[in-house]
Amino acid sequence: MKRLTPILIVILCVGGAFGTLYFLWSKSKTKPEVARLEAPELRDIVKKTVATGAIVPREEVEIKPRVSGVIEELYVEAGAPIKRGDKLAKIRIVPDAASLQRAQAAVQTARIAFENAKRELDRNQALFAQGVVSEAELASFQNLTRMAQQTLSSANESLQIVKEGQSGSSKQSNIVVTSTVDGMVIDVPVKIGFSVIETNIQNPGTTIAIVADMGDMIFLGQVDESEVGKIKVGLPLEIKIGALEKETFEGTLEHIAPKGKEIDGAIQFEIKASVKPKKDVFVRAGYSANADVVLDKRTQVLAIREALLQWKDGKPFVEVETGKGIFAKRDVKLGLSDGIYAELLDGVSKDAKVKQPSNSGPPSMQRERQGPPRGGGGARR
């Protein structure tokens, strides 16, 4: 028994050593890599560039007063529909002291002239009755009296206009501001009690209200100089409004500015595009929006992720499974690309199983890494 104990100890030690070595060897042994396969698919490919901007009315009309004064009444508020000729506000005239004094002096002068002409007419009418003066001389005094009366009437009307902004004989009141167009009031920048200035050749005047046709909206945005050469008038747009996340509007590019402006250190070109309205969707002026300018589009074409492409001597190819674990190189011809997917024109069929390169990542990782499709990202040829 004493002889067996050392032998058993030696056997256990040797077995433990061999077991430890086998465990370490099995752990360090690399597992064979299983190739990941992916098939081409039918999908729409859209190559586009993005413009940022806002939705604004095509035409905005600023309504301004024809007299200066203080807002006495306001008849509308923002959001109200309005027709041409509808009242917007009433202005109380605050006459200028110098103008008032001149108008009053003109009335007094005209009254004195009229009274003097009236006395002369009365005197000559008495002389005419006595046969002292002729009918022609009397007619002359009658004309002078009528002219003096007209001058007095005009002076009184001028004084009334200075005081009240209108005369009694005028059918149109300047103190009541009316709309000049049909549309919707989108802004009323004044309140009751505000002082306003009339529009004239020296002053643009105070804006009483802004009226616009909310049924005719446009996208007004900016495009970077690196992208402006890729777009042209007439291209379709897909417009997404931040406040209306579930809605996408169609548009057509109508104008590209011939001159760029420096904005935040970059040259930007202004673009304008019509926006096709949608029934039961009210678009407010000033909504921020992004417009995808569609440069080119393919519908339901055979496409492959660009991450599956490999390149040699500037030419693309893929590895296609021809048997269990056996892959063959296939040269491919590419068409339109949106930066993530490229159109397959030749080289691979729909049923082919394409090997994913080790650095391609799964489709979800590819989309997360590259982000949404943007203009300028095309497949190399």
Side-chain angles (χ1 to χ4, degrees), residues 66-231:
R66 292 184 291 273
V67 293
S68 299
V70 176
I71 298 294
E72 188 174 36
E73 292 183 55
L74 280 174
Y75 302 112
V76 296
E77 60 183 11
I82 199 167
K83 297 291 185 180
R84 179 181 300 180
D86 289 352
K87 296 179 180 180
L88 297 175
K90 182 179 180 181
I91 299 175
R92 175 169 52 85
I93 300 297
V94 180
D96 175 71
S99 300
L100 181 61
Q101 192 276 332
R102 287 193 298 269
Q104 289 174 339
V107 170
Q108 188 63 25
T109 302
R111 181 177 291 112
I112 293 172
F114 173 68
E115 291 174 352
N116 183 58
K118 186 70 170 57
R119 283 194 300 269
E120 289 294 322
L121 177 62
D122 293 340
R123 187 171 65 84
N124 281 275
Q125 282 180 335
L127 293 175
F128 175 74
Q130 299 174 5
V132 176
V133 297
S134 65
E135 185 177 355
E137 290 177 322
L138 179 62
S140 176
F141 284 103
Q142 289 175 338
N143 289 335
L144 290 174
T145 303
R146 283 194 292 266
M147 291 174 63
Q149 186 179 16
Q150 181 61 39
T151 302
L152 177 59
S153 177
S154 297
N156 281 321
E157 289 187 359
S158 297
L159 177 60
Q160 189 175 5
I161 291 173
V162 171
K163 286 183 176 181
E164 302 176 7
Q166 63 179 348
S167 64
S169 61
S170 175
K171 296 182 179 180
Q172 185 175 5
S173 174
N174 287 337
I175 63 174
V176 177
V177 183
T178 59
S179 176
T180 58
V181 295
D182 299 341
M184 176 181 288
V185 179
I186 61 174
D187 189 21
V188 182
V190 296
K191 296 181 180 179
I192 294 177
F194 275 34
S195 296
V196 295
I197 301 173
E198 64 181 292
T199 179
N200 51 53
I201 60 174
Q202 297 178 344
N203 196 304
T206 305
T207 300
I208 300 295
I210 301 176
V211 180
D213 181 5
M214 298 299 288
D216 186 11
M217 308 293 282
I218 64 170
F219 171 80
L220 183 64
Q222 305 289 335
V223 174
D224 189 79
E225 61 178 329
S226 62
E227 303 289 337
V228 73
K230 303 174 184 177
I231 62 177

Side-chain angles (χ1 to χ4, degrees), residues 237-259:
L237 280 77
E238 295 178 357
I239 302 171
K240 297 180 180 178
I241 299 175
L244 305 174
E245 298 179 353
K246 298 181 180 180
E247 301 290 342
T248 300
F249 295 82
E250 297 179 359
T252 303
L253 188 59
E254 294 182 342
H255 172 76
I256 305 172
K259 180 181 178 182

